[in-house]
Amino acid sequence: MDKKLGKSARVGIRDVAAAVGVSPTTVSHALSGARAINPATRARVLEVAQELGYSPDLRARGLRSSRTFTVGLLSDAIAVTPYAGLIISGAQDAAAEHQSVVLALDSTGDPQRELLGIRTLLDHRVDGLVYARMSHQSVNVPTELDEIPVVLANASSPDLKFSSVVPDEKQIGLDATGHLLSFGHERVGFATVNEDVPSALGREEGYRSAMRAAGIAVNEAWVCAETGDAAGGRKAGRFILDREDRPTAIFCFNDEIAMGVYQAANDLGLRIPEDLSVIGVDDLQLITQALVPTLSTIALPHYQMGHWAVSQLFTQATALNGARIVEKLRCHLVQRESVKAPRS
């Protein structure tokens, strides 16, 4: 650059353009992603912008475009779940790609606090909102959100006007059960939750489909629904395992239930994985890494859901039609020590 910028001077688009040797319009397109430009040029613009300490003047841009360059994220359990950070991180990264920021609020499941959160975000004139849940469930989106674009994360709705992103629950059941079957287990149980929620229904469908595809009939005595915590897992484990014709493996709805199944196995003098193989869902590392042996599990795509939801908000804003989509994300298997071949 020809002129030196003082430490207090604000670096603008023209400064970046001069340093790169391109037009301010090209820099604007590279930073906003509004139009496609040469990838090498865009990479160089982003590199120089970072070196110079460029940051967009969101206030000025907002006055010109009637946008605030903020996205709201409203959830039910940010403060109490270890997964919230991943959803928020994914949302923040996607927002940053569009030179925007995320305002995240937690309703703690309280309808009055949720309404207050909605009003707060609307008062801040957010450009769109991610309506998120920390466990996959069906939701009715509050009518107060009708005036802004909304995308659901880890939630689905009977109202087809909302795009949503969720884990592929049936595939979770297929993958977890298939993993046990691949080790030679034919006597596979299922410890699930006693709730009518999409995650429970989908995972059980996947479990039964995998067993059916393997030509193995499900023994209903090996399927038990209890609460979704360790205490419920212990009850389910005792019900499934305290019999002569017990299974050699159990697919657990989540890692907390798996922890309870570990306790039930210990109560009955069974060793994992020598006498019983166990697989969970969530990859809640406070549990999976602490259990002995460490727990094999299916990791949920929380970061990817947050990223997809915010990206979809911007896609909808520029789309030529109002089509909405439901994205089901495949989860990945984390193999540890809790699964091995059954004894012959």
Side-chain angles (χ1 to χ4, degrees):
M1 295 177 59
D2 294 330
K3 64 178 182 177
K4 301 291 185 181
L5 292 175
K7 290 185 178 180
S8 61
R10 183 183 184 88
V11 177
I13 283 181
R14 293 184 181 278
D15 301 311
V16 178
V20 178
V22 297
S23 70
T25 299
T26 298
V27 172
S28 178
H29 291 164
L31 294 172
S32 68
R35 294 187 183 180
I37 64 172
N38 182 282
T41 301
R42 182 172 188 272
R44 178 59 180 155
V45 167
L46 295 177
E47 179 184 7
V48 170
Q50 183 175 12
E51 289 176 354
L52 296 180
Y54 168 80
S55 62
D57 187 345
L58 298 182
R59 181 175 177 274
R61 289 172 64 192
L63 291 173
R64 292 194 299 268
S65 66
S66 298
R67 288 183 55 197
T68 60
F69 299 92
T70 56
V71 173
L73 189 151
L74 181 62
S75 184
D76 61 337
I78 289 175
V80 296
T81 176
Y83 312 126
L86 291 173
I87 286 186
I88 293 172
S89 180
Q92 288 177 327
D93 286 351
E97 293 168 10
H98 295 271
Q99 290 73 57
S100 297
V101 296
V102 174
L103 298 179
L105 296 180
D106 183 358
S107 72
T108 67
D110 182 338
Q112 292 303 314
R113 289 190 65 171
E114 178 172 271
L115 181 58
L116 177 61
I118 290 172
R119 290 173 178 168
T120 299
L121 292 169
L122 292 178
D123 286 345
H124 280 77
R125 296 176 51 244
V126 293
D127 297 321
L129 183 134
V130 174
Y131 192 74
R133 287 293 180 265
M134 289 303 122
S135 61
H136 182 187
Q137 56 193 267
S138 179
V139 298
N140 293 311
V141 179
T143 56
E144 288 82 3
L145 293 175
D146 286 348
E147 59 187 88
I148 62 171
V150 173
V151 172
L152 310 181
N154 207 24
S156 52
S157 172
D159 191 336
L160 300 180
K161 71 181 181 181
F162 297 108
S163 290
S164 62
V165 57
V166 297
D168 190 333
E169 302 291 2
K170 180 179 179 180
Q171 193 63 53
I172 288 173
L174 286 167
D175 289 345
T177 308
H179 183 61
L180 297 173
L181 294 170
S182 72
F183 276 80
H185 291 279
E186 296 183 354
R187 302 158 64 88
V188 179
F190 180 44
T192 185
V193 291
N194 52 7
E195 300 176 57
D196 186 17
V197 292
S199 49
L201 298 174
R203 292 173 200 181
E204 181 168 354
E205 182 184 1
Y207 160 72
R208 292 183 180 276
S209 295
M211 296 290 281
R212 185 167 54 249
I216 302 172
V218 171
N219 186 332
E220 298 301 333
W222 299 344
V223 178
C224 184
E226 290 286 350
T227 55
D229 53 13
R234 192 170 190 171
K235 288 181 182 179
R238 288 295 296 260
F239 177 85
I240 294 170
L241 295 171
D242 194 8
R243 62 185 71 244
E244 290 185 5
D245 63 336
R246 59 176 170 256
T248 60
I250 297 180
F251 162 39
C252 298
F253 171 83
N254 63 20
D255 294 338
E256 290 185 75
I257 287 179
M259 181 165 62
V261 169
Y262 269 54
Q263 295 168 350
N266 183 69
D267 293 342
L268 298 169
L270 302 175
R271 295 176 302 163
I272 298 173
E274 290 81 7
D275 303 314
L276 177 72
S277 288
V278 180
I279 188 169
V281 179
D282 282 346
D283 197 22
L284 181 55
Q285 295 192 14
L286 289 172
I287 293 176
T288 58
Q289 301 279 28
L291 288 174
V292 180
T294 55
L295 178 66
S296 294
T297 189
I298 305 290
L300 296 178
H302 291 98
Y303 174 90
Q304 292 83 352
M305 286 191 287
H307 192 282
W308 188 97
V310 170
S311 298
Q312 180 63 18
L313 280 174
F314 288 99
T315 298
Q316 287 179 191
T318 58
L320 297 178
N321 59 60
R324 299 295 182 261
I325 59 175
V326 175
E327 181 76 3
K328 293 184 178 182
L329 299 182
R330 186 159 186 172
C331 308
H332 71 273
L333 170 70
V334 182
Q335 297 188 55
R336 295 195 177 94
E337 301 169 334
S338 63
V339 177
K340 68 179 297 186
R343 292 179 174 177
S344 57

